[in-house]
Amino acid sequence: EDTESDEHEVSKNATFYYDITHLFSLLHAVAVQELRLDDNLENLIDYNVHDDECNPPIDLSQAFRNMQDTKGHAREFDEHAVALFAGKQCSMRAAVRQVTGHFSQNNWRVYCSSMKLGVIGGVNQSEREILGMARDRPYLVQSWLIQYLA
């Protein structure tokens, strides 16, 4: 009887760990979507460390070369951002919208769809439907976390 009880406790703990990991992963993904102004739930995919779609490989030599090439532009961008927001209060979403405003909506959609966000355990149909109706997805997932822990 003790063995059965121990197995049940281990199973219960594993389920709790999985559920919490999934919810925090989902919270991270919808928060990143919020920051990048991406409302397409199709950009949330099942996380797999070996899947290039949610964990794209990066050529570091190219990345560093690009950083060096744009150093002057980045400094201009920083100065522009400081001038835009100095002494002002605004939401992060408004700041991102201001900074990325030079992209067309289509180009931004293409960018977001090429940088999908992996969610541990994926996003099931029920979650997708509820998230699709939510005005504040990170807040919704946070409330799921709190409810689960309560």
Side-chain angles (χ1 to χ4, degrees), residues 43-116:
N43 291 334
L44 302 179
I45 61 174
D46 191 5
Y47 177 76
N48 178 339
V49 70
H50 302 294
D51 183 356
D52 287 348
E53 190 174 27
C54 67
N55 196 17
I58 296 172
D59 178 355
L60 291 178
S61 63
Q62 186 63 35
F64 288 123
R65 186 174 308 119
N66 289 345
M67 285 174 64
Q68 290 168 347
D69 292 345
T70 61
K71 201 180 253 183
H73 176 70
R75 196 174 307 107
E76 285 175 27
F77 172 80
D78 288 345
E79 290 171 6
H80 176 68
V82 168
L84 267 174
F85 302 112
K88 297 180 184 174
Q89 290 184 347
C90 69
S91 69
M92 178 58 104
R93 201 170 162 83
V96 171
R97 189 175 295 119
Q98 184 69 35
V99 170
T100 61
H102 62 282
F103 288 105
S104 73
Q105 279 189 332
N106 188 51
N107 285 347
W108 193 250
R109 241 182 257 112
V110 169
Y111 166 77
C112 291
S113 68
S114 67
M115 297 295 289
K116 297 198 182 288

Side-chain angles (χ1 to χ4, degrees), residues 14-35:
T15 300
F16 175 81
Y17 177 77
Y18 173 82
D19 289 344
I20 290 298
T21 302
H22 166 71
L23 287 171
F24 271 108
S25 178
L26 181 58
L27 177 59
H28 172 263
V30 296
V32 169
Q33 275 197 308
E34 182 77 15
L35 288 175

